[in-house]
Amino acid sequence: NHTRISEFILVGFKSQPGSQIFLSVLFSTMYIVTVVGNVCMILIIRMDSNLHTPMYFFLENLSTLDICYSSVITPRATLAFLLGRRNISYNGCASQMFFFSLFGTTEAFFLAVMAYDRFTAVCNPLLYQVIMSKRLCVLLVMGSYLSGCINCTIQTGFTFSLSFCGSKEINHFFCDVAAVIHASCSDTLVNELVMLVVCGSIIVGTALVVFISYGYIIITIVQMPSAESRHKAFSTCSSHMMTICLFFGTVFFMYARPGATSSPSKSNTISIFYTIVIPMLNPFIYTFRNMEVKGSLKKQLKR
């Protein structure tokens, strides 16, 4: 039977007091950089009318998503390292898992949508504004969030239908699906299969959209007669590819391979990349690798 418990204990990165202070400083610093960097990206896009295009509409939404994504995990983990309070309530754990899964899944769909946007811009430039209408852009964003909502409902519902008895320890610094499943005393085979099938389908499906889109993009760029055109196309697409490789590489290792719940110690380190590092790096990748954003930033600074 399902055993109702009042709280869990997050024991990820539990070590000496000195290292806990280091982790709290590191996490808080990365979180501040994440928020400031993404807020600046949003402001740059909103203040420059030249950036009011579908590509930057998606980029603005990605920055908003990254702030929410990191905020679900990082502040609480920072306080846990600093104050040593690793307890999290049963409902708090379920809520954290729900929103983490929501924003994480939505980000995967966002990256696929942005790849399709670049494919349309590079391969069908004359029809770009017609195809990527404002209505379609809004629908794609809403569809990404809806897909994320479906996945997080499935993952959270299946996970918290398990029994938790004896030890309440979760070997992670937040309520990740795999770590909570590993802490259960129930038979978790069905949960592991659900996670593998659902998450694997999402990751493989969105990654296929990305790589097929960029396959066509690379072929089109190589065939461009002008070196300036090739450079401009590569400058806008290369930043997106860097984000894609970082995100899908770590997420695939965590959720889309057999035995994903069997190595919680590795999960602690790897999950830092897609929960904290990638949301922090995204605005810098898109700023320093994108000529239009750099030009807009220079104009805003001159003002």
Side-chain angles (χ1 to χ4, degrees):
N1 294 327
H2 177 71
T3 303
R4 178 75 181 190
I5 61 174
S6 60
E7 63 182 13
F8 293 103
I9 302 171
L10 300 168
V11 297
F13 294 121
K14 193 173 184 179
S15 53
Q16 298 301 318
S19 63
Q20 297 296 290
I21 294 171
F22 169 76
L23 284 171
S24 67
V25 172
L26 178 64
F27 274 42
S28 59
T29 301
M30 288 195 292
Y31 180 65
I32 291 168
V33 173
T34 298
V35 173
V36 172
N38 282 288
V39 167
C40 287
M41 179 63 77
I42 293 168
L43 291 175
I44 289 169
I45 293 170
R46 291 196 174 184
M47 293 172 68
D48 191 339
S49 58
N50 293 324
L51 301 182
H52 294 176
T53 63
M55 173 183 168
Y56 294 103
F57 172 74
F58 294 130
L59 188 52
E60 181 183 349
N61 277 277
L62 180 67
S63 292
T64 304
L65 183 67
D66 279 338
I67 293 171
C68 297
Y69 189 33
S70 186
S71 296
V72 171
I73 307 298
T74 316
R76 199 187 187 291
T78 302
L79 288 175
F81 296 139
L82 185 63
L83 305 176
R85 296 175 184 172
R86 293 175 172 271
N87 293 16
I88 183 170
S89 69
Y90 181 90
N91 291 332
C93 188
S95 298
Q96 187 181 59
M97 181 185 293
F98 180 88
F99 287 107
F100 163 72
S101 298
L102 169 64
F103 296 132
T105 306
T106 304
E107 178 135 349
F109 279 94
F110 263 24
L111 293 175
V113 165
M114 292 172 72
Y116 174 71
D117 171 73
R118 290 299 83 208
F119 161 76
T120 308
V122 174
C123 300
N124 297 290
L126 298 178
L127 297 174
Y128 177 63
Q129 293 296 336
V130 177
I131 295 172
M132 300 303 296
S133 64
K134 186 174 182 179
R135 181 173 178 273
L136 179 61
C137 292
V138 172
L139 286 174
L140 288 171
V141 169
M142 290 175 63
S144 298
Y145 274 104
L146 178 61
S147 301
C149 194
I150 292 170
N151 181 51
C152 70
T153 301
I154 292 170
Q155 298 297 339
T156 308
F158 268 84
T159 302
F160 283 88
S161 66
L162 293 171
S163 297
F164 298 94
C165 45
S167 174
K168 300 181 292 183
E169 292 186 348
I170 296 174
N171 193 354
H172 218 309
F173 63 93
F174 68 95
C175 288
D176 185 38
V177 178
V180 177
I181 289 175
H182 194 74
S184 172
C185 56
S186 302
D187 181 0
T188 61
L189 178 60
V190 173
N191 292 73
E192 292 183 42
L193 287 174
V194 168
M195 187 178 77
L196 181 63
V197 171
V198 176
C199 294
S201 299
I202 291 169
I203 295 166
V204 172
T206 51
L208 276 175
V209 172
V210 168
F211 291 120
I212 290 171
S213 297
Y214 273 95
Y216 282 106
I217 287 170
I218 291 169
I219 292 170
T220 303
I221 291 175
V222 170
Q223 293 175 345
M224 288 179 177
S226 167
E228 184 181 348
S229 299
R230 289 196 298 270
H231 176 72
K232 184 178 179 180
F234 270 121
S235 71
T236 56
C237 294
S238 60
S239 56
H240 189 218
M241 282 301 295
M242 289 173 67
T243 302
I244 286 165
C245 291
L246 283 169
F247 182 83
F248 281 105
T250 53
V251 170
F252 181 86
F253 181 86
M254 286 293 296
Y255 301 106
R257 63 182 179 86
T261 62
S262 62
S263 53
S265 57
K266 290 182 181 178
S267 302
N268 282 281
T269 304
I270 295 168
S271 58
I272 290 176
F273 283 93
Y274 64 85
T275 57
I276 301 172
V277 176
I278 294 174
M280 178 185 70
L281 291 179
N282 276 348
F284 296 99
I285 291 172
Y286 282 105
T287 299
F288 294 119
R289 298 289 300 175
N290 190 304
M291 300 302 293
E292 290 179 328
V293 175
K294 284 196 286 188
S296 178
L297 180 58
K298 287 177 183 178
K299 283 197 298 183
Q300 300 302 331
L301 290 174
K302 285 179 180 179
R303 287 181 183 178

